[in-house]
């Protein structure tokens, strides 16, 4: 195991997954013991397909979101641009599966509550607003295989569109009427801003740099999934330990999802990914594969500190990553986060939705776009 991984284990960023789960005695009867998980995760055919289980719940979700974005013609066109029904709806899918799994666990027969579906919509709205703002910051011209909003309408209107989507999400959140849920999901917006600021900087010390990278990854990607999962559990169960299970599942899957995304920046072509490959390097970002490669090729250190700004830096860094085991190590780390997600969700009462959430970790690792 390389130095970074040792440091991550020591600092608690990556858990030792074979440790037994310790539960307080009065809660043991509500939560289920955790099976040991191998690196291959699950390939059991009995595990449910996540997409098929929530297809009905997601059927009109983008139309319902558009109903929340009532505005005049041009602003409406901007806001509706990414809600075209062609997205993967990855975050709403996780939120709905988690809601149903928690409902079954709490003897609610898995029936999705209207407020839980609203949280799934809100999570997609917050995510989309963050994409609009990210594209402005990164000066991106492509997103999901189409021109970005800032490329079509300009930066100023794109920023206002992102702000408007966030305001509509905030109003929908307020209508749920649960102050704890409002607090939990408000944390997501704070994390998104802090994560964006973290992305603007780096760390001189290599071990601190990887810690910085993972914390930024949590704030920019995983916090939304983690806190949305926690929010739907709060609506149906008062047990803080169930809330923590939902949160930790979302946190670990979210970090794994971004780690795989960072891998795809080196292994997928632009047509498959929907955005130019090596995009992160061109933005001056050192992601997992680069940070791992830096241990084998120390000359990357100076490139990272100058954010790949010198002529030829991007191409040289690309070659160093391909020559190293950076992609393999990042994939290994993503597997460990998925294993922890499985360990957490397996503590809930068995259900088709719980099994689908387990299955989802495998899909996260195997995705190619």
């Amino acid at each position: 195991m390389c130095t970074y991984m040792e440091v991550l284990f020591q600092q608690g960023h990556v858990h030792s997954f074979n440790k037994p789960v310790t539960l307080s005695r009065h809660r043991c009867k509500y939560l289920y013991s955790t099976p040991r998980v191998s690196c291959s995760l699950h390939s059991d055919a009995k595990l449910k397909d996540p997409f098929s289980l929530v297809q009905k719940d997601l059927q009109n979700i983008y139309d319902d979101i558009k109903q929340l974005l009532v505005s005049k013609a041009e602003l409406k066109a901007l806001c509706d641009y990414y809600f075209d029904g062609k997205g993967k709806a990855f975050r709403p899918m996780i939120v709905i599966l988690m809601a149903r799994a928690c409902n079954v666990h709490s003897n609610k027969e898995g029936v999705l509550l209207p407020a839980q579906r609203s949280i799934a919509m809100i999570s997609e709205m917050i995510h989309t607003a963050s994409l609009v703002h990210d594209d402005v910051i990164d000066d991106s011209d492509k997103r999901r295989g189409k021109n970005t909003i800032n490329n079509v309408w300009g930066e100023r209107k794109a920023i206002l569109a992102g702000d408007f989507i966030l305001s509509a999400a905030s109003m929908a959140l307020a209508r749920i009427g649960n102050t704890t849920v409002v607090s939990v999901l408000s944390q997501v917006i704070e994390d998104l801003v802090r994560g964006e600021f973290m992305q603007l900087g780096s760390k001189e010390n290599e071990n601190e740099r990887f810690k910085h990278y993972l914390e930024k990854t949590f704030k920019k990607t995983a916090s939304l999934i983690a806190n949305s999962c926690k929010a739907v559990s709060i609506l149906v169960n008062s047990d803080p330990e169930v809330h923590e299970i939902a949160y930790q599942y979302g946190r670990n899957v979210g970090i794994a999802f971004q780690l795989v995304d960072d891998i795809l920046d080196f292994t997928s072509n632009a047509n498959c990914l929907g955005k130019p490959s090596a995009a992160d390097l061109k933005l001056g970002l050192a992601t997992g594969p680069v940070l791992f490669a830096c241990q084998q090729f120390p000359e990357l250190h100076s490139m990272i500190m100058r954010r790949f700004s010198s002529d030829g830096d991007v191409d040289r860094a690309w070659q160093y990553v391909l020559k190293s085991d950076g992609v393999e190590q990042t994939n290994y780390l993503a597997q460990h986060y998925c294993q922890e997600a499985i360990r957490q969700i397996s503590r809930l009462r068995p259900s088709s939705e719980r099994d689908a959430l387990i299955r989802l970790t495998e899909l996260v690792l195997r995705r190619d776009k």
Side-chain angles (χ1 to χ4, degrees), residues 300-316:
L300 277 167
H301 175 75
S302 58
M303 295 185 201
I304 291 171
M305 293 311 298
R306 63 176 178 258
R307 297 178 70 85
F308 313 105
S309 59
S310 295
D311 288 344
D313 276 359
V314 170
D315 289 338
R316 283 196 297 272

Side-chain angles (χ1 to χ4, degrees), residues 69-101:
L69 298 171
V70 177
S71 57
K72 293 185 178 179
E74 186 176 23
L75 181 56
K76 179 175 175 54
L78 268 74
C79 292
D80 288 354
Y81 190 65
Y82 287 152
F83 298 114
D84 56 6
K86 297 179 181 179
K88 296 185 289 291
F90 178 76
R91 287 153 191 83
M93 176 182 64
I94 290 182
V95 173
I96 290 172
L97 286 172
M98 181 60 73
R100 289 187 175 277

